[in-house]
Amino acid sequence: MSRKIRMGMVGGGRGAFIGGVHRIAAAIDQQIELVCGAFSSNPEKSRLSGEDFFLPADRVYGSYEEMITKEKELPEGERMDFVSIVTPNHVHFGPAKMALENGFHVVCDKPVTFNVEEAQILKKLVEETGLIFALTHNYTGYPMVKQARVMVENGDIGKVRKVVVEYPQGWLATKVEDTDQKQASWRVDPAKSGMGGAMGDIGTHAENLAEYITGLKITEVCAELTSFVEGRRLDDDANILLRLEGGAKGVLHCSQIAVGEENGLNIRIWGETGGLEWHQQEPNTLQVKSLEGPTVHYRTGVGSLSDAATAAQRVPAGHPEGYLEAFANIYKNFATCVRARLEGTEPDELSKDFPSIEDGLRGMIFVEKVVENSRGNEKWTKL
């Protein structure tokens, strides 16, 4: 099939942050092209955004309903192949459901939906249609994260005993939402964000990273959520004890009131014979520790790494493998699987490595149970 995979976008118009990230990431490997979009719930803003992206006027739509309906009417060689959803949380479910029902594959920003019930409906739809669904937990796209996962899987640190994962930010240390800051206003609004504030926004990234690297599912939580900023309706800080499969224990904390912090997603994992440590703000390095030997620093682009880490590398050693490249790895793998589906072939195993609807549902269950536990009197709540 000698053409690019065609993407339609919902959201991500003028003034949006994450839409630009998705468009850049999708374009990095030159496997995907943006062909249409409903870039805003405001039809005029959507039209102007389409002009910014040099799209034909008849492929810029005033709503996602119109886009999916009109695109389905186009010939197969012309219509979009998948929908990328880059809206606030409360506008994930509608376009994802309609896209799946009309035969389009889906890429969706996280968390996957507004609540667990919606995620369960999408999971059932994905299973029934057989369509491909990717969730952009982008931190799983880093080469050293993939290296860590392979090392745990291979038993290089022995049976996992303890996981400590954290995601501190400081940008909501004051009531920024009162200044009409767009990114803040919807994230602290339970009608748009859902039941979790910092928990849904960044806590789900920490949860997903812990499960992705260890291969262990979180089974129980003991949580305390806090809204430190007076008048804020959703949590801006979370401290959670974890129990994982196989008897491993963990600690997860995330915060958006940690003054001076940027995007401090970090994870440490200890097994019976060794440990691993990775910091998102220093993404090229994975620290590997052992009982008796020295700590070894694995570096992107240096030495012999796993096939998964090597496949995710994009630049020579010494150049940071960054946020956009990690995002692009999800789009690249997703596009490879869509292309294989269109060609009637089977993609290789490495290309199937991207977060799925199952990860999305687990994330929503995690948020729901953490909130439930924090509000209740039970010490532990099962997932």
Side-chain angles (χ1 to χ4, degrees), residues 98-234:
M98 188 174 179
L100 292 167
E101 289 172 337
N102 284 274
F104 295 106
H105 306 288
V106 174
V107 171
C108 186
D109 211 20
K110 47 57 56 193
V112 67
T113 51
F114 187 74
N115 56 40
V116 171
E117 291 72 26
E118 290 179 349
Q120 289 171 330
I121 292 170
L122 289 188
K123 183 175 185 293
K124 185 177 179 183
L125 263 175
V126 171
E127 291 170 348
E128 290 174 348
T129 62
L131 292 164
I132 303 168
F133 191 105
L135 186 69
T136 51
H137 272 303
N138 55 294
Y139 300 108
T140 63
Y142 280 102
M144 288 294 101
V145 168
K146 294 186 182 298
Q147 177 69 22
R149 185 189 193 202
V150 169
M151 295 183 79
V152 172
E153 197 173 68
N154 289 345
D156 291 353
I157 64 168
K159 182 181 177 181
V160 173
R161 288 173 167 171
K162 184 164 184 175
V163 181
V164 176
V165 61
E166 62 174 354
Y167 200 154
Q169 296 176 335
W171 70 294
L172 291 179
T174 61
K175 211 160 187 281
V176 182
E177 57 266 36
D178 287 352
T179 67
D180 294 323
Q181 210 266 28
K182 182 179 178 180
Q183 296 301 320
S185 59
W186 74 260
R187 281 177 167 82
V188 300
D189 182 353
K192 295 180 179 179
S193 185
M195 64 171 60
M199 199 57 247
D201 190 21
I202 58 177
T204 49
H205 275 308
E207 167 264 332
N208 177 258
L209 190 68
E211 291 198 343
Y212 179 79
I213 294 178
T214 65
L216 303 175
K217 289 183 168 52
I218 297 165
T219 59
E220 293 182 272
V221 294
C222 175
E224 181 180 43
L225 305 186
T226 307
S227 299
F228 276 106
V229 174
E230 187 175 351
R232 183 166 287 159
R233 290 180 289 170
L234 290 174

Side-chain angles (χ1 to χ4, degrees), residues 178-355:
D178 287 352
T179 67
D180 294 323
Q181 210 266 28
K182 182 179 178 180
Q183 296 301 320
S185 59
W186 74 260
R187 281 177 167 82
V188 300
D189 182 353
K192 295 180 179 179
S193 185
M195 64 171 60
M199 199 57 247
D201 190 21
I202 58 177
T204 49
H205 275 308
E207 167 264 332
N208 177 258
L209 190 68
E211 291 198 343
Y212 179 79
I213 294 178
T214 65
L216 303 175
K217 289 183 168 52
I218 297 165
T219 59
E220 293 182 272
V221 294
C222 175
E224 181 180 43
L225 305 186
T226 307
S227 299
F228 276 106
V229 174
E230 187 175 351
R232 183 166 287 159
R233 290 180 289 170
L234 290 174
D235 59 278
D236 49 30
D237 186 82
N239 299 281
I240 307 163
L241 297 178
L242 309 173
R243 288 175 175 169
L244 296 92
E245 293 173 328
K249 304 297 172 64
V251 178
L252 184 158
H253 88 80
C254 65
S255 181
Q256 292 178 316
I257 51 86
V259 174
E261 296 293 338
E262 298 172 9
N263 278 282
L265 176 60
N266 310 312
I267 187 165
R268 288 173 287 169
I269 301 167
W270 293 279
E272 292 175 337
T273 61
L276 301 172
E277 183 170 347
W278 180 78
H279 297 256
Q280 194 268 152
Q281 291 181 187
E282 176 54 50
N284 282 27
T285 301
L286 174 67
Q287 295 183 44
V288 181
K289 306 168 185 182
S290 64
L291 279 172
E292 298 178 355
T295 296
V296 177
H297 286 197
Y298 281 62
R299 292 282 293 169
T300 303
V302 178
S304 179
L305 299 175
S306 67
D307 290 343
T310 301
Q313 292 175 160
R314 296 177 172 278
V315 292
H319 297 77
E321 294 278 359
Y323 179 79
L324 293 172
E325 290 86 348
F327 236 110
N329 282 331
I330 292 175
Y331 269 101
K332 177 183 70 172
N333 288 350
F334 172 82
T336 299
C337 289
V338 170
R339 185 178 299 280
R341 179 69 58 85
L342 293 171
E343 293 175 342
T345 61
E346 184 66 23
D348 63 90
E349 287 302 312
L350 289 177
S351 296
K352 297 177 184 178
D353 182 13
F354 54 82

